[in-house]
Amino acid sequence: MKQKKSFQQKHGRYGEFGGVYMPELLMAPIHELTLAWNKIKHQKQFHSTLINLLKNYAGRPTALTETPHFSKAITGPRIFLKREDLLHTGAHKLNNALGQCLLAKQMVKKRIIAETGAGQHGVATAAACAYLGLECVIYMGSEDIKRQSPNVLRMTLMGAKIVSVKNGTATLKDAINDTLRDWSESYSDTYYCLGSALGPHPYPEMVASFQSIIGKETKKQCLAQIQALPDIIIACVGGGSNAIGIFSAFLDEPKVRLIGVEAGGHGFELGEHAARFHMLTPGVLHGCYTYVLQDTHGQIAPTASISAGLDYPAVGPQHALLYQQKRAEYVSVNDQEALHALKLLARTEGIICALESAHALAYLIKIAPNLSKTQNIVVNLSGRGDKDLPTLMGMEKDQVNI
């Protein structure tokens, strides 16, 4: 009998990936967090409070929406969108922010720090902090502040302090670096709310747990609406939280094909994209052993993407294992393909998705002609596109036809 593959973490590892690779200054807060998480993750009262917040504050469950006009336009099969864009604050990030901020309150931490790239995790954390009465500080690369100005305003309105990070490429990687520096000096009263399913253990496990609500709802909704499991699930992959969230309920369903879509940027050379599975170079970044983009000397490489939320040189360890075990496929699409997909969805269905989510749609457009019309495809629409309007409007009008 063939042994069943394990996708669960053991001692902070997913196969060879994951772990805790942190400087000594940060081992004390990591140990404190691990103890708190191991205690609270099994508490019924904690989960009951979180479920209540997700329902009555965040707006779960989110809809599963069929898109017949988009499907017709790409000569595709039946297509459904898991509408995380309808969640309060506009993306899946609130699932995790509420969970972690509730944990912070249990740990008696009154100050929350967080990093953000596209701004959606920052907005979600700011909202959770405002609702729960916590101080909020958001680190954000100065380049991302420019291209995500609506989210900067939203965070400020909710009382968050925005710290502009000008180091390095002034994007997500550098924002994480400065957040970690803050945490090393302030952990006695500060909680670091990490936004994706990466970083040192227990963060990948925590974030995947909080985002698993997406997959659980999707499975239930598919069985109710189409009386079957989907044939394919597609999600964009930056750090990987929205993807691992929707994949999680289907890992033990071998007939459901799982596809993660990375940012192909504007070229194939190192520094022109954020496609970690294109390069397949394992290494350590921000406390985690996984696939990273690095040069021949082991230095972390710059990344490029029209999407701030996918513009990161490492991927979560769960995804590294799923790739290694061939349970999920990982592909990439470029900036122009993502832009085309965003526009097509907006004009056929009246839904403006985030540039991150547009990458998943763009790959579906590529493969649609080869899919059976009887198949059912679910795309995780991880966020809405309001935040990307400055980026779109700043481009040449004849490029995007606005």
Side-chain angles (χ1 to χ4, degrees), residues 119-134:
Q120 286 301 131
H121 174 57
V123 170
T125 304
C129 286
Y131 188 82
L132 296 171
L134 299 165

Side-chain angles (χ1 to χ4, degrees), residues 94-305:
L94 189 61
N95 301 317
N96 172 58
L98 284 172
Q100 287 201 50
C101 287
L102 275 178
L103 175 59
K105 289 203 76 165
Q106 292 277 345
M107 296 173 68
V108 198
K109 306 289 186 182
K110 298 180 180 179
R111 178 175 179 265
I112 307 296
I113 57 174
E115 86 299 327
T116 196
Q120 286 301 131
H121 174 57
V123 170
T125 304
C129 286
Y131 188 82
L132 296 171
L134 299 165
E135 180 186 350
C136 184
V137 178
I138 305 293
Y139 286 85
M140 190 172 188
S142 59
E143 187 63 31
D144 291 336
I145 286 176
K146 292 176 189 175
R147 56 182 175 174
Q148 300 293 316
S149 56
N151 275 344
V152 175
L153 178 58
R154 294 168 75 198
M155 287 182 267
T156 305
L157 283 170
M158 288 185 283
K161 176 186 176 183
I162 313 299
V163 179
S164 177
V165 178
K166 298 180 174 64
N167 306 322
T169 57
T171 55
L172 181 58
K173 171 179 70 70
D174 312 290
I176 293 176
N177 288 340
D178 277 22
T179 313
L180 288 170
R181 290 190 191 99
D182 183 322
W183 198 30
S184 70
E185 299 168 356
S186 63
Y187 64 82
S188 61
D189 70 343
T190 296
Y191 180 94
Y192 177 17
C193 182
L194 199 155
S196 197
L198 41 76
H201 178 73
Y203 281 110
E205 180 190 347
M206 282 199 305
V207 177
S209 176
F210 292 137
Q211 295 294 2
S212 66
I213 186 69
I214 306 172
K216 291 172 185 174
E217 285 181 5
T218 302
K219 195 172 197 178
K220 184 177 180 180
Q221 289 167 324
C222 284
L223 292 174
Q225 291 178 221
I226 59 175
Q227 293 77 53
L229 295 177
D231 295 287
I232 303 174
I233 294 177
I234 308 176
C236 65
V237 178
S241 65
N242 92 87
I244 205 64
I246 196 167
F247 289 175
S248 62
F250 301 92
L251 293 177
D252 294 327
E253 302 287 355
K255 292 184 179 179
V256 180
R257 185 179 170 193
L258 306 177
I259 304 175
V261 187
E262 299 184 286
H266 56 81
F268 296 104
E269 300 299 318
L270 200 61
E272 297 179 341
H273 59 81
R276 290 67 47 99
F277 291 101
H278 173 64
M279 309 300 287
L280 286 178
T281 52
V284 174
L285 180 62
H286 296 137
C288 177
Y289 180 72
T290 184
Y291 291 121
V292 300
L293 291 172
Q294 56 191 337
D295 63 23
T296 54
H297 303 290
Q299 297 298 306
I300 298 301
T303 54
S305 173

